Amino acid sequence: MAAKDLHIVNQIQTQISNLSDRVALRHKVEGKWCDISWRQFGEQINELSLALLSHGLKVQDKVGIFSNNMPRWTVADFATLQIRSVVVPIYPTNTPKQAAYIINDADIRVLFVGEQEQYDAATEVFSDCDQLEYIVAMSDEIDLKDHQAGCTWQQFISASEASAQQELTQRINDAQMSDLLTLIYTSGTTGEPKGVMLDYTNISSQLHGHDQRLALSADDVSLCFLPLSHVFERAWTFYVLHKGGTNCYLQDTMQVREALADIQPTVMSAVPRFYEKIYSAVHEKVSKAPLIRKILFTWAVNMGAKVAVCHQEQREPSFMLKKSHQLADKLVLSKLRALLGGKINFMPCGGAKLDATIGRFFHAIGINVKLGYGMTETTATVSCWDDRRFNPDSIGLAMPGAEVKIGENNEILVRGPMVMKGYYKKPEETAKNFTEDGFLKTGDAGEFDAQGNLFITDRIKELMKTSGGKYIAPQVIEGAIGKDHFIEQIAVIADTRKFVSALIVPCFDTLEEYAKELNIKYHDRLELIKHSEVVEMFEKRVSGLQNELARFEQVKKFTLLPKAFSMDKGELTPTQKLRRKVINDRYQDEIEDMYSDKK
């Protein structure tokens, strides 16, 4: 297939032509799921493309999208790409100041906003953004408040001129694979955001690579609930639409459980925390079940695990195992799959490392989780679990076209057509992140096994060194302890310290239920987490979760916190990664107390 054939705009136009009345997009309107056909999707894209041209958008001008997930997010995306302009996503949870930085750095001229919160943030900083001309409200409920730059979706489109059609056709015909497709600003755990430059070759290489690795078709239905402003969900949406599948948009992520039941997706991208929560909820429920149910659950999952190993090793299960598995599936496993709608074929997982125990559990119950590894700078996927012979402790085999090697300090290095063009307006930062022979430095340390499975051993940029000279990989410790159903969040402290400690945010739903069962009296959460029985319970659980860690890696002391780390307070990035410096500064007293000789 010629490279130009995999230009994402051409791909979408082909599907619009071929699939016409089939469903392209679904979304909830007044509580009901509504369909948008491929033909309607195409009409909306063209309509908005003509409006953008009529408003004077030039080739490679920048258009921002500051919104939660909705069909118009993707319509605005493709309408912009059709005219060879560049899409710049902004996380819907960004503060006005964070949004203004991106608007100015990227020279955004038109900004699409999804809800009142984003509209208000945009109008608040409008006077500080010289390039910004229009703030277009994608939701009809947004109050424009008579702002000079504000307009509704319909008002923006109504300014279209028929004469722009010739220009649109010309732009589509002139499209180049080397055109800049998007700038995606990486939030980073330190420093100011950097705009990652991705072009059409980057995207097309991933479409081609995923075609070789995954089985997806026009019959597949995907639930789009991770933020489209992140490379993972957006690249996945491109792939679903490239294959002609149906993309279902969830605007409110709190409704994911209901959406799974309503939509019954066959595929869905998710982050490890999603799987961890399901795993914890299931095991918590089982822990309270009668003995006979516990035994049945354990037996059924064991049967599933044995069959999963047979599939991986490409051998037939024995007659007895087949029969046992059929019974286990009927009694237990099918009911567990129903939690995800009951029709999942496979589920891409990315954004962080998935604990191997959780990965094995989902494969045992018949959910084909495909853990992948990648970065914004690599247009998402660098490696992922294969359907056969993957190691659950690994991050999978390298994707087709990705050249991966281990460099100095065991750093994972990547080269290939999926690697970014560089950081926007930051040539020095770009040069710093590449080796002399053109490999991208990932910042992760790793190794390969004999089968070609890639493993992350450390996060180079996040390694901590104790005062005793021992190197600590905090994410490994956080992964080991954080899978417990009593723990919502954990931040490890170790840098320059004499031992490892941690700040732990309990899962209060679970903890409050536990307190009720033990008849523990308390006035508020602060009193609850200081209760001796609660502290003792956490001490036992934390201790038991660290058996596989070296002694110097183990958390010796911890402090329970009454409130979760949040993006609003700057403690988390939009992709839910810990901003360790902010956390260390904010909880300095609690941290110092753990290292005090009095304790």
Side-chain angles (χ1 to χ4, degrees):
M1 186 176 276
K4 192 75 185 267
D5 293 336
L6 272 183
H7 191 293
I8 188 64
V9 170
N10 294 345
Q11 283 296 105
I12 297 307
Q13 289 294 345
T14 299
Q15 298 296 16
I16 289 165
S17 175
N18 292 343
L19 300 175
S20 190
D21 293 323
R22 288 190 64 160
V23 179
L25 317 176
R26 297 190 77 197
H27 64 130
K28 233 174 182 179
V29 180
E30 295 177 357
K32 290 185 178 178
W33 286 93
C34 298
D35 297 344
I36 297 171
S37 71
W38 279 94
R39 178 177 46 77
Q40 291 167 326
F41 181 36
E43 287 168 355
Q44 289 180 31
I45 292 170
N46 288 338
E47 193 175 46
L48 187 56
S49 285
L50 292 172
L52 288 164
L53 289 172
S54 299
H55 283 93
L57 270 289
K58 299 181 177 65
V59 173
Q60 301 290 271
D61 270 355
K62 313 301 187 299
V63 173
I65 306 178
F66 186 21
S67 170
N68 286 313
N69 294 2
M70 58 178 70
R72 282 181 175 175
W73 206 113
T74 300
V75 171
D77 197 359
F78 282 109
T80 303
L81 301 183
Q82 272 200 155
I83 66 164
R84 298 178 68 196
S85 287
V86 181
V87 174
V88 186
I90 301 176
Y91 279 97
T93 51
N94 273 11
T95 63
K97 185 180 176 184
Q98 290 167 334
Y101 176 85
I102 295 172
I103 292 166
N104 286 325
D105 192 67
D107 302 315
I108 289 172
R109 290 185 59 194
V110 176
L111 182 66
F112 290 95
V113 295
E115 292 171 345
Q116 192 69 47
E117 187 182 349
Q118 292 90 39
Y119 180 82
D120 291 345
T123 54
E124 182 183 323
V125 299
F126 177 75
S127 59
D128 300 322
C129 302
D130 294 341
Q131 290 273 124
L132 188 58
E133 297 170 39
Y134 301 97
I135 301 170
V136 185
M138 296 200 286
S139 299
D140 298 334
E141 301 80 36
I142 292 175
D143 178 1
L144 300 182
K145 300 178 180 177
D146 293 325
H147 192 275
Q148 63 186 90
C151 64
T152 66
W153 180 272
Q154 216 50 51
Q155 284 169 343
F156 190 77
I157 283 171
S158 64
S160 294
E161 297 168 4
S163 58
Q165 182 60 55
Q166 189 177 345
E167 176 67 13
L168 176 57
T169 305
Q170 189 66 49
R171 295 244 187 135
I172 292 171
N173 291 340
D174 290 347
Q176 302 294 317
M177 295 300 287
S178 58
D179 284 345
L180 194 56
L181 180 150
T182 191
L183 289 178
I184 301 179
Y185 280 77
T186 56
S187 51
T189 50
T190 57
E192 63 184 26
K194 300 188 290 283
V196 174
M197 297 189 289
L198 301 178
D199 66 11
Y200 288 86
T201 298
N202 293 140
I203 290 292
S204 94
S205 72
Q206 289 290 26
L207 300 180
H208 185 61
H210 284 71
D211 278 347
Q212 295 175 64
R213 187 60 63 86
L214 305 179
L216 198 78
S217 75
D219 295 326
D220 277 299
V221 176
S222 181
L223 181 60
C224 172
F225 88 105
L226 296 180
L228 278 164
S229 39
H230 189 264
V231 70
F232 184 24
E233 188 67 74
R234 182 145 165 253
W236 179 250
T237 290
F238 282 170
Y239 188 66
V240 169
L241 297 174
H242 148 76
K243 299 300 284 187
T246 300
N247 212 39
C248 306
Y249 295 77
L250 189 61
Q251 201 163 333
D252 181 1
T253 55
M254 300 304 287
Q255 295 181 1
V256 67
R257 186 178 291 181
E258 296 90 332
L260 285 165
D262 293 344
I263 292 294
Q264 296 185 304
T266 59
V267 287
M268 183 175 93
S269 293
V271 291
R273 191 71 190 127
F274 175 82
Y275 300 99
E276 288 166 8
K277 285 192 168 183
I278 293 173
Y279 176 88
S280 294
V282 167
H283 282 79
E284 186 189 358
K285 197 169 181 182
V286 170
S287 71
K288 294 176 181 174
L291 181 61
I292 188 68
R293 284 197 181 178
K294 286 180 184 174
I295 293 168
L296 179 62
F297 172 83
T298 303
W299 169 80
V301 173
N302 283 340
M303 291 304 103
K306 287 180 179 180
V307 167
V309 169
C310 289
H311 286 324
Q312 273 196 49
E313 295 178 354
Q314 294 177 280
R315 58 183 172 84
E316 274 292 305
S318 67
F319 175 78
M320 199 65 199
L321 180 55
K322 267 186 186 173
K323 289 295 176 188
S324 297
H325 183 253
Q326 283 172 3
L327 182 61
D329 197 69
K330 184 179 179 182
L331 296 175
V332 178
L333 306 183
S334 60
K335 293 178 175 63
L336 294 173
R337 290 197 300 277
L339 295 171
L340 295 166
K343 291 187 178 179
I344 294 287
N345 293 331
F346 66 89
M347 291 182 70
C349 172
K353 180 78 173 70
L354 179 69
D355 186 87
T357 306
I358 296 171
R360 287 191 189 96
F361 171 77
F362 277 91
H363 277 261
I365 70 172
I367 300 286
N368 182 9
V369 172
K370 294 180 81 69
L371 178 68
Y373 165 72
M375 311 162 66
T376 307
E377 288 87 342
T378 60
T379 326
T381 327
V382 168
S383 65
C384 76
W385 285 354
D386 197 27
D387 281 338
R388 308 287 184 186
R389 296 188 179 277
F390 71 87
N391 184 321
D393 288 298
S394 79
I395 48 170
L397 301 170
M399 289 293 289
E403 195 180 342
V404 184
K405 70 176 184 178
I406 307 300
E408 283 182 36
N409 302 319
N410 296 321
E411 187 168 14
I412 298 169
L413 305 175
V414 185
R415 186 168 68 181
M418 71 289 300
V419 175
M420 67 168 181
K421 302 304 123 190
Y423 296 114
Y424 190 58
K425 297 180 181 175
K426 293 187 187 295
E428 289 177 11
E429 281 284 334
T430 301
K432 207 165 40 174
N433 279 272
F434 282 88
T435 63
E436 287 182 8
D437 53 351
F439 278 83
L440 175 74
K441 299 174 183 178
T442 64
D444 291 309
E447 61 189 22
F448 285 102
D449 67 9
Q451 286 71 46
N453 289 300
L454 182 60
F455 297 78
I456 291 180
T457 54
D458 292 315
R459 175 74 187 158
I460 290 171
K461 291 173 186 171
E462 284 200 358
L463 278 184
M464 297 177 181
K465 194 177 185 182
T466 65
S467 56
K470 297 284 191 184
Y471 280 100
I472 302 292
Q475 290 175 324
V476 173
I477 303 165
E478 288 160 358
I481 298 173
K483 64 187 176 188
D484 189 86
H485 65 273
F486 275 94
I487 295 173
E488 184 69 29
Q489 296 169 324
I490 174 170
V492 160
I493 313 295
D495 217 20
T496 72
R497 303 289 184 171
K498 54 190 174 184
F499 58 81
V500 179
S501 69
L503 299 169
I504 293 175
V505 178
C507 177
F508 280 103
D509 288 347
T510 309
L511 181 57
E512 285 164 1
E513 185 68 30
Y514 172 83
K516 194 174 170 185
E517 287 173 11
L518 268 67
N519 202 27
I520 294 172
K521 304 295 182 194
Y522 60 96
H523 291 106
D524 54 24
R525 287 180 171 180
L526 188 60
E527 189 177 342
L528 174 62
I529 60 174
K530 289 183 182 300
H531 195 284
S532 59
E533 286 185 70
V534 169
V535 173
E536 188 182 341
M537 180 270 286
F538 271 97
E539 283 172 348
K540 284 179 181 172
R541 299 191 81 86
V542 169
S543 175
L545 290 160
Q546 301 189 87
N547 293 336
E548 293 181 18
L549 297 176
R551 283 181 66 83
F552 71 85
E553 293 178 304
Q554 293 180 6
V555 170
K556 302 290 190 293
K557 291 183 182 179
F558 62 84
T559 298
L560 298 176
L561 301 178
K563 288 184 179 176
F565 303 129
S566 72
M567 278 184 285
D568 293 344
K569 292 186 284 185
E571 297 157 342
L572 298 177
T573 71
T575 50
Q576 301 296 296
K577 292 186 179 74
L578 299 173
R579 291 192 192 272
R580 297 188 189 276
K581 187 178 184 308
V582 174
I583 290 169
N584 286 359
D585 290 347
R586 184 152 293 147
Y587 295 97
Q588 188 176 358
D589 291 346
E590 288 85 349
I591 292 167
E592 292 305 329
D593 195 35
M594 288 190 285
Y595 292 97
S596 153
D597 292 333
K598 297 171 192 170
K599 224 179 166 190

